[in-house]
Amino acid sequence: MKRYGNLWLQVIAFENLLRASRLAQKSKRFRPNVLAFNHRLEQELQQLQAELKTLTYQPGGYRTFRIRDPKPRMISAAPYRDRVVHHALCNVIVPLLDRTLIHDTYANRCGYGTHRALHRFTGWARQYRYGLQCDISKYFPSIDHEILKAFLRKHLKCQNTLWLIDTIIDASNEQIPVIEYFPGDETLQRQYAAGEIDLEPLLQRLQSWEAHLKHGDTYRLRQKVFERHTFVRAAEEE
């Protein structure tokens, strides 16, 4: 598995920070905090760049509010200058991590999204009799930060970039409580808590299995497998 290094200079480059500020302000240009930041844009970006260069950058506090869209949800909004840093980081690492996703992942990917997922689903709806629609309850609050950090370290080895990622993750605000396991189900509890269960190797094995089936001569086996299994991660709600 390839691990990427030497990313830090790309992250903190002034051109990257400027691009990040333009991405962060989309549909928000006339909000007071964005106007204030843009009024001193060059100085603000230079200050961020200096803090990142010296590894002294620290995120601010999140603003939390609740919406009903249509179900009740808690939204956490980072300060605007922190969102600029988020975009600067994502500009560099997202293209690298995007390569690790399965083809049928449609959430938050350039060129994918709801319409492409719907088009894909329409094709399957004509092919399969049944489909399972499901969602992960409180998906983002339920993410284990240590497992997330370990996953990112499997793909990234630039120490300063990992420092920034850890800084952002560790500054996350407290989330609403979530159920980590199904009540009474302790079958995989120890392995999950120890970080021994990883979705990526499972997906790699499934993809390898699928590739072998596609090129095998076992027509009836392929027919039975593909009739029953299709793996998709659809676009998430905003």
Side-chain angles (χ1 to χ4, degrees):
M1 180 185 299
K2 182 176 177 60
R3 298 176 69 217
Y4 297 92
N6 301 318
L7 306 174
W8 189 237
L9 293 181
Q10 299 177 52
V11 174
I12 66 175
F14 187 86
E15 294 78 7
N16 185 46
L17 292 171
L18 179 60
R19 180 187 171 210
S21 69
R22 290 170 177 166
L23 291 171
Q25 71 176 357
K26 281 188 176 180
S27 303
K28 305 177 181 69
R29 288 180 57 193
F30 299 107
R31 294 184 180 180
N33 58 339
V34 180
L35 290 171
F37 188 93
N38 287 341
H39 182 66
R40 302 180 63 256
L41 181 61
E42 185 174 358
Q43 296 93 319
E44 292 283 0
L45 294 181
Q46 287 176 341
Q47 177 63 30
L48 277 177
Q49 187 182 48
E51 293 177 15
L52 292 170
K53 279 183 177 179
T54 56
L55 305 184
T56 57
Y57 165 77
Q58 288 298 320
Y62 282 77
R63 179 173 62 90
T64 302
F65 55 95
R66 294 182 179 275
I67 64 171
R68 184 178 292 274
D69 183 32
K71 60 184 179 181
R73 301 170 63 190
M74 186 177 78
I75 305 297
S76 300
Y80 181 71
R81 76 190 303 266
D82 292 340
R83 295 204 294 273
V84 173
V85 174
H86 298 170
H87 278 284
L89 175 64
C90 289
N91 287 344
V92 176
I93 68 172
V94 165
L96 306 177
L97 298 177
D98 189 78
R99 302 169 190 172
T100 68
L101 302 176
I102 63 173
H103 174 74
D104 289 306
T105 298
Y106 295 95
N108 303 315
R109 297 180 70 188
C110 292
Y112 285 75
T114 305
H115 290 90
R116 186 165 178 173
L118 179 60
H119 178 74
R120 183 77 155 161
F121 168 78
T122 302
W124 281 329
R126 296 190 179 104
Q127 183 178 357
Y128 301 107
R129 178 177 297 181
Y130 302 105
L132 173 63
Q133 180 180 354
C134 58
D135 190 15
I136 299 176
S137 176
K138 300 179 179 62
Y139 174 74
F140 288 107
S142 67
I143 295 176
D144 186 295
H145 288 180
E146 296 307 314
I147 294 177
L148 174 60
K149 292 177 184 179
F151 168 79
L152 292 170
R153 278 165 170 75
K154 292 180 180 179
H155 300 282
L156 307 174
K157 61 181 179 180
C158 176
Q159 292 304 310
N160 287 347
T161 302
L162 290 170
W163 165 82
L164 178 58
I165 291 172
D166 289 349
T167 299
I168 293 172
I169 293 175
D170 293 340
S172 300
N173 62 328
E174 185 175 352
Q175 298 290 320
I176 55 179
V178 297
I179 299 175
E180 295 185 1
Y181 311 100
F182 292 106
D185 181 10
E186 299 181 354
T187 307
L188 301 176
Q189 183 170 350
R190 183 188 63 79
Q191 293 92 331
Y192 176 81
E196 298 172 2
I197 299 176
D198 192 345
L199 180 61
E200 184 182 8
L202 173 62
L203 291 176
Q204 289 176 347
R205 286 174 173 80
L206 289 172
Q207 289 170 339
S208 175
W209 180 46
E210 181 180 0
H212 283 296
L213 288 172
K214 282 183 177 178
H215 295 90
D217 295 327
T218 53
Y219 173 77
R220 291 184 180 178
L221 177 59
R222 295 203 312 271
Q223 190 178 42
K224 288 183 179 180
V225 169
F226 292 125
E227 180 183 0
R228 298 178 183 178
H229 298 89
T230 300
F231 301 93
V232 187
R233 182 186 172 200
E236 298 163 355
E237 295 180 9
E238 293 295 336

